[in-house]
Amino acid sequence: MNYRIDLSDGDVRELIADAAQTRDYSPMIPFDQLKAQRDLGRCFTEFSEGPITFLPTYRFELGPTLGQIHDVKRRPAWTDRILYRSAESVSLKQLSYDCHPHIYLSDHKPVTSRFEIEARTFNLERMVTILEEIRTPLEGPMETDATPSLVIDSSHVDLGQVSCSVPLIRSIKLTNSSPAVAAFRFIPPSADDSITPPWLTVTPESGIILPGKSHDVELTVNPDYKTAGALNKGANIRDMLVIHVENGRDYFVSVAGNFRRTCLGNDLSWLASLSDPVRDIDPSTVNDNHGPSAPKEVMRLVSWLMSNAATEERLFLEPGSKDESLKALDTGTEFPESKSPTFTLSVGEALLELLKSLREPVVQWKYHALCATVTSRDQAFEVIERFPPASTNVLVSVTAFLHFSLQEPNKARAKSLARVFGSIFLWDNPLGKPSTWASPVAKTRFILYLIS
C-alpha cells in the first residue's frame, strides 16, 4: 500500500523520536491516510486491523546504516499493513501485530501478525434433533387462518437509576402464543424516529419464534458523553419500543428511568454557569450565559491538586480510578481525606476525564489553526486572550498548576505533560478531515509555551 501520514516530515520524525521508548504512536494514527479512508467508508470497510504499536515501516536507508534510519528524503509512513476479516462462523483472535526493524533486505520493514483460530465442532446427533424440532411445525398442517401473536412478559421496563457510561442491562421475554410462526422486528415509533434513542440498544432487533417457543431480547442502556449533555439539561430517559409481527399486530413496551445528572458531557459555558452541584440543580433555571468564571468542578480539582499533589511526578502520566472524585463533583460532597498517591492519581484522572468529555474542547475548534502557528510564550498568551472567558479561565488555571508542579526543571516530564494536555485541550473535531486538524506536535508546543 502507498498510504502516507498527513503530517509534515519534521512532525512525523519528532513523534517517532518521542515514541522510541513507549512505542506509543497514537498521536500519529488519526493522520494515517489508510485509517482516514477506512473511517470514511471508502476502502476495506469489512476488514479489521490491530493496534499499530510499531514505527513506520517505510522508507529506510540502505547501506552503511544497515537500514536502521529512516531515509531523510522520504517522509516515514506505515505503507506495510495487515488487514484481516473472517467468516461469522469462525472465531479469530489476533495475537500479535508487529514489524521487524532488524531485517535489512529492503527499504521497507516487513510486518507480521499471528492469529488464533477456533474451529467449530459439530454434534451431529444434536443437530439432527434440532432440525427435526424446526421442521415439524413448518411441515405440519398449515394454519391458514392463524394469525401470529406474541405474549410479552412485561409491557413496561423500569430502569431505575441510570448513570453516564455505566451500562445497564434489562431483558424482556417474547413468547409465541399462536400456532403460526412469528417473525418479529423492532420498528421506529414514527417515520422521523430511529428504532431506539441513542442511549438504548436492543439485541436482537429481529427474529423468528416457533409456536410455543420464547425468545429473550436484551435492552442495554448506556448514555455516553454525547447523550449526557441533553439528559443533564432535562431530557428524559423514556422511550416507547414498537415490536412489529409480520402478518400480525404491533406490540408496545415502554422504557423509563431516572438519569443521574453529571458534570460530564456538557458545554463548558453551561457547566460554568451552574451555581450548585449538578445533581442539585433545576435544569430549567440554568442560564448558559451567566458569569465568565471557570466551572467550579474544574477549580475544585485544581485547588486540591495544588494543595496535595504538586510534587507527584506520575500525576496525569499514569492512570487512576476517577469514579470517587467524579461522584464528589456531581454531588458536592467533600473529597475523601486520603492523600495517598493512588487517590492523587485518581483526582488527576478525574480532571482529564472532565475536560475531554466536554462537547467542544476547552480551546474551541475555530482557534486550533491559530494555536498551531504560535512560536513564543508571549504569542501563546495573546492567543488565549481571544478565547471565551470560561475557556481562558480553565486554560490559565490548569496550566498555572502544571507550571507550578514543574518548578524543578524536567524537560522530559514537561513535554510529556504538554503532550497529554495538548490532546485534551485541543482534541480534534470528529466531523473534520485529518488534513484540517492541528498537528499533535503543534499542540504540544502550544501547551509547552504556557507551562514551561
Side-chain angles (χ1 to χ4, degrees):
M1 299 182 186
N2 201 33
Y3 291 99
R4 303 306 172 95
I5 300 171
D6 282 329
L7 290 170
S8 70
D9 181 79
D11 284 359
V12 170
R13 292 178 190 274
E14 182 172 337
L15 292 169
I16 291 173
D18 290 343
Q21 300 299 323
T22 63
R23 292 181 55 144
D24 178 15
Y25 298 96
S26 58
M28 286 193 292
I29 299 299
F31 299 88
D32 173 66
Q33 291 177 349
L34 176 57
K35 180 184 184 304
Q37 294 300 305
R38 291 182 63 219
D39 289 346
L40 292 171
R42 294 176 177 173
C43 64
F44 303 109
T45 54
E46 297 180 355
F47 287 77
S48 300
E49 183 179 23
I52 296 178
T53 58
F54 50 86
L55 77 173
T57 57
Y58 176 82
R59 180 177 189 253
F60 284 82
E61 290 186 352
L62 298 175
T65 59
L66 297 179
Q68 297 182 29
I69 300 175
H70 282 101
D71 190 333
V72 296
K73 297 180 180 179
R74 298 291 181 91
R75 185 173 61 208
W78 287 291
T79 59
D80 307 273
R81 312 284 277 272
I82 295 176
L83 307 182
Y84 63 92
R85 61 176 293 189
S86 63
E88 292 184 2
S89 59
V90 175
S91 174
L92 183 65
K93 179 181 179 181
Q94 189 175 40
L95 302 179
S96 67
Y97 185 30
D98 211 345
C99 78
H100 301 273
H102 299 298
I103 295 179
Y104 312 127
L105 300 179
S106 168
D107 54 2
H108 290 254
K109 296 300 180 184
V111 175
T112 60
S113 183
R114 291 189 302 118
F115 294 89
E116 178 180 271
I117 299 176
E118 182 178 329
R120 289 192 176 186
T121 59
F122 294 92
N123 184 327
L124 184 60
E125 182 179 347
R126 177 63 176 156
M127 186 167 64
V128 170
T129 301
I130 292 175
L131 287 174
E132 287 297 325
E133 291 178 357
I134 296 174
R135 186 175 62 185
T136 299
L138 293 178
E139 292 183 350
M142 294 294 292
E143 298 284 348
T144 55
D145 297 328
T147 299
S149 61
L150 298 178
V151 172
I152 303 176
D153 64 347
S154 177
S155 60
H156 174 72
V157 178
D158 184 3
L159 302 174
Q161 296 295 320
V162 178
S163 300
C164 179
S165 299
V166 179
L168 179 69
I169 297 176
R170 297 287 187 268
S171 65
I172 55 176
K173 184 183 292 293
L174 312 182
T175 300
N176 186 349
S177 58
S178 71
V181 175
F184 74 90
R185 59 188 172 93
F186 286 83
I187 62 173
S190 66
D192 296 329
D193 291 326
S194 56
I195 294 176
T196 60
W199 45 264
L200 174 64
T201 57
V202 295
T203 307
E205 292 186 356
S206 62
I208 295 176
I209 308 176
L210 299 177
K213 300 296 182 179
S214 298
H215 199 106
D216 289 327
V217 175
E218 190 173 271
L219 313 180
T220 302
V221 179
N222 189 17
D224 58 13
Y225 296 155
K226 293 180 179 179
T227 54
L231 295 171
N232 286 328
K233 293 180 179 181
N236 294 319
I237 289 281
R238 185 177 293 115
D239 193 49
M240 182 66 71
L241 299 175
V242 183
I243 305 171
H244 175 71
V245 176
E246 297 297 329
N247 300 318
R249 68 180 185 88
D250 293 342
Y251 298 81
F252 302 90
V253 177
S254 62
V255 178
N258 297 313
F259 182 70
R260 290 191 177 103
R261 285 191 293 275
T262 174
C263 58
L264 302 176
N266 299 293
D267 298 302
L268 182 62
S269 60
W270 187 84
L271 195 61
S273 68
L274 302 185
S275 56
D276 296 309
V278 69
R279 294 273 174 90
D280 297 339
I281 65 167
D282 177 358
S284 65
T285 65
V286 176
N287 179 1
D288 286 30
N289 298 316
H290 173 70
S293 64
K296 63 183 181 305
E297 291 82 1
V298 174
M299 302 312 296
R300 281 190 66 189
L301 293 169
V302 172
S303 178
W304 191 96
L305 292 171
M306 186 71 79
S307 300
N308 302 285
T311 60
E312 176 53 70
E313 293 195 352
R314 297 176 299 160
L315 184 66
F316 305 124
L317 302 179
E318 292 186 16
S321 177
K322 59 187 178 293
D323 295 343
E324 195 171 9
S325 300
L326 291 173
K327 182 179 179 181
L329 296 179
D330 290 341
T331 58
T333 55
E334 295 297 323
F335 291 135
E337 294 184 1
S338 171
K339 297 180 182 179
S340 67
T342 299
F343 184 70
T344 296
L345 295 180
S346 77
V347 175
E349 189 74 11
L351 178 59
L352 295 178
E353 194 71 16
L354 173 57
L355 295 175
K356 70 183 180 183
S357 77
L358 296 171
R359 295 177 65 83
E360 188 171 359
V362 173
V363 179
Q364 295 175 335
W365 291 313
K366 63 182 179 181
Y367 295 111
H368 285 200
L370 181 60
C371 292
T373 65
V374 165
T375 58
S376 71
R377 179 177 172 84
D378 289 341
Q379 284 186 7
F381 278 95
E382 288 175 3
V383 168
I384 66 175
E385 289 177 357
R386 305 186 186 189
F387 299 167
S391 295
T392 300
N393 291 335
V394 169
L395 195 62
V396 169
S397 299
V398 175
T399 55
F401 166 71
L402 296 176
H403 177 78
F404 179 73
S405 71
L406 289 166
Q407 292 303 303
E408 292 296 329
N410 186 331
K411 290 184 177 180
R413 182 165 175 261
K415 189 169 186 179
S416 295
L417 289 172
R419 187 181 303 115
V420 169
F421 279 91
S423 66
I424 294 291
F425 283 135
L426 296 101
W427 52 267
D428 300 310
N429 185 347
L431 300 180
K433 296 180 179 179
S435 59
T436 67
W437 294 343
S439 161
V441 172
K443 296 177 186 178
T444 299
R445 185 172 59 242
F446 177 73
I447 301 299
L448 271 174
Y449 286 133
L450 302 177
I451 69 175
S452 297

